[in-house]
Amino acid sequence: MKYQISIRQFIFLFIFTTMTPLFTYIPQVAASNAGNSGYVSALYFGVILFVFAALLLRIMKVYPNQNLKEILTSMIGSACMRILFFLYGIWAFLLLTFKLCSYNLLLQATLMDNSTNYIILFGLFFIVIYAALKGPKAIFRVSELLYGPLIFFLVILLIFTLPNINKEYLAPITTTQLRQNFSSLWTLAPVGGKLFFLLFFLRPITSMNRYPVVRKRLYQSVFVFVLISYLSIFLTIGIAGSTLTSEYSYSFFQAIKCITFLSSFERFDSLITLVTVVSDFITITFYLLLIMKCFTVAFHLENYKEIAVIALTLASTFACVYDVPQFTLEHFYRPYIDRFSLIFQYLIPVFLGIICCFKKPVSKEIIDT
């Protein structure tokens, strides 16, 4: 699969894949850990993510025009590289299965409460397969096309939401609460850690952009992510209060139900649901593409289409047969998924980044288009 991806397209996809968690469980977790100061956790994590982005850029600067497969092969050998890609494929499959379960629950809790899980998953199956078989370029273009309307909608929502904020819910902030915000980083880290997927697309990205352009866009993406995560927590606590926010599932949806425009247009929560549905579709398709990429590298396969069909069939069957309840998904499966994600998203990239800090960057110019 030969394709070209701009850094803009990757950044749009990164932002889209973080939308659903930022609008569903992140405000609840932040409020549970630190009360009315929960939004401060987004600022804490922003510092970590900027450092993480700097390490990714260092890897890119030392290994220009090389993909993750080539970088790992040169550092740890071909056999270890293939084992690592196999493990990444298993991890991506777990993420895919988890996302299918959470996608099904989200639709049943919001837009399609009378629908059974197999009907939702059956329709999603064919859409995701079609998008995945079109190749990575298709899903990147979808993200690029929808990014503008998404940001416009979020700005409009912010304007309508600000007058409904109760300042008493946001203050005072104690020293103890500031320390408690560190507990939320374990939940924010797997969401923002998706920036690490840049390593899988280094070659197509660096073939289209110079290093300064990539650096600028990457730091901008970190800023946008921190801003959206900050506002989602800030607005939810400011409208509903930390107590209700910490107790309700999908607390952001509950908070904006009171938002109206000219006393007539309301149900902004339905529009947020549409945003999360699009976000989940892009995320599920991307995870499937990642599975295809990892297993084709691990086993030297060429029939990546069969991998996509088998992986999505197995994941959809699990989500349909077991029909995991929301409590189990939130309090049992997600903590384990988050722990695995911390290992796969941060351990390898940080290790590579630290090593690259002691290597001389290649001075070869990256082509700009």
Side-chain angles (χ1 to χ4, degrees):
M1 293 184 292
K2 293 184 178 180
Y3 50 88
Q4 287 185 325
I5 298 171
S6 69
I7 186 61
R8 279 171 48 87
Q9 291 173 328
F10 173 80
I11 295 313
F12 296 155
L13 183 136
F14 163 67
I15 296 299
F16 257 107
T17 58
T18 63
M19 284 295 163
T20 297
L22 291 181
F23 290 148
T24 51
Y25 62 83
I26 292 297
Q28 180 187 18
V29 172
S32 299
N33 290 329
N36 55 6
S37 71
Y39 51 89
V40 178
S41 60
L43 302 180
Y44 289 170
F45 182 68
V47 177
I48 298 175
L49 199 57
F50 270 109
V51 176
F52 185 61
L55 290 175
L56 296 179
L57 290 169
R58 184 66 184 184
I59 297 172
M60 179 179 174
K61 197 170 185 179
V62 174
Y63 295 98
N65 295 323
Q66 295 189 42
N67 54 32
L68 183 60
K69 172 186 174 182
E70 295 168 335
I71 295 173
L72 291 176
T73 301
S74 65
M75 297 184 69
I76 61 177
S78 177
C80 293
M81 177 275 298
R82 292 173 59 186
I83 294 175
L84 197 56
F85 263 82
F86 172 75
L87 294 176
Y88 269 115
I90 297 297
W91 169 64
F93 179 77
L94 294 176
L95 289 176
L96 175 67
T97 306
F98 176 81
K99 180 54 69 173
L100 285 172
C101 294
S102 61
Y103 173 85
N104 175 57
L105 287 173
L106 177 62
L107 281 185
Q108 288 182 330
T110 53
L111 294 179
M112 304 172 66
D113 54 334
N114 294 323
S115 300
T116 54
N117 61 344
Y118 63 85
I119 295 178
I120 296 174
L121 295 173
F122 182 79
L124 180 67
F125 179 90
F126 292 100
I127 299 175
V128 172
I129 280 292
Y130 176 79
L133 296 185
K134 281 290 186 179
K137 188 67 176 179
I139 199 65
F140 278 97
R141 283 179 173 173
V142 171
S143 302
E144 183 180 24
L145 178 65
L146 297 177
Y147 184 78
L150 170 68
I151 295 300
F152 176 77
F153 167 71
L154 294 180
V155 171
I156 296 298
L157 179 64
L158 175 63
I159 294 174
F160 292 155
T161 304
L162 286 176
N164 296 272
I165 291 179
N166 188 338
K167 297 180 181 179
E168 295 180 357
Y169 291 154
L170 302 171
I173 300 177
T174 64
T175 304
T176 302
Q177 288 177 328
L178 291 177
R179 291 196 301 267
Q180 291 172 339
N181 273 286
F182 286 103
S183 301
S184 302
L185 299 181
W186 298 106
T187 306
L188 274 168
V191 181
K194 294 174 182 178
L195 198 66
F196 125 90
F197 290 132
L198 174 74
L199 296 180
F200 284 93
F201 302 95
L202 277 183
R203 173 172 286 178
I205 288 176
T206 55
S207 67
M208 293 189 65
N209 304 271
R210 292 179 181 271
Y211 174 79
V213 177
V214 177
R215 180 180 57 191
K216 176 183 176 182
R217 294 294 185 186
L218 202 62
Y219 285 141
Q220 285 177 347
S221 70
V222 172
F223 175 78
V224 172
F225 171 79
V226 173
L227 180 62
I228 295 176
S229 58
Y230 178 88
L231 289 176
S232 66
I233 302 172
F234 181 87
L235 295 178
T236 306
I237 296 177
I239 295 174
S242 60
T243 302
L244 293 179
T245 299
S246 62
E247 293 179 356
Y248 278 113
S249 298
Y250 309 132
S251 53
F252 185 79
F253 295 78
Q254 301 294 332
I256 64 175
K257 281 185 177 181
C258 64
I259 307 302
T260 61
F261 176 59
L262 298 177
S263 300
S264 57
F265 184 76
E266 52 185 12
R267 295 310 303 269
F268 282 95
D269 57 307
S270 297
L271 297 178
I272 287 291
T273 302
L274 292 177
V275 171
T276 57
V277 167
V278 174
S279 171
D280 279 344
F281 163 71
I282 291 175
T283 305
I284 290 169
T285 306
F286 180 77
Y287 287 159
L288 188 59
L289 290 170
L290 195 63
I291 293 172
M292 296 160 60
K293 191 177 186 70
C294 290
F295 285 138
T296 51
V297 172
F299 298 105
H300 291 295
L301 300 176
E302 295 183 358
N303 298 324
Y304 59 87
K305 294 182 179 180
E306 286 78 359
I307 295 176
V309 175
I310 294 173
L312 188 58
T313 300
L314 292 176
S316 300
T317 301
F318 178 89
C320 182
V321 172
Y322 287 93
D323 195 15
V324 182
Q326 184 173 349
F327 180 85
T328 304
L329 194 72
E330 293 291 327
H331 297 278
F332 181 74
Y333 285 102
R334 196 184 73 210
Y336 284 103
I337 291 293
D338 286 349
R339 291 170 190 171
F340 283 123
S341 297
L342 289 174
I343 296 173
F344 284 99
Q345 288 178 345
Y346 290 95
L347 184 61
I348 300 301
V350 170
F351 175 74
L352 293 176
I354 293 175
I355 292 178
C356 289
C357 288
F358 297 95
K359 290 189 174 185
K360 184 178 180 180
V362 178
S363 59
K364 183 179 177 180
E365 187 181 50
I366 301 175
I367 299 174
D368 187 17
T369 59

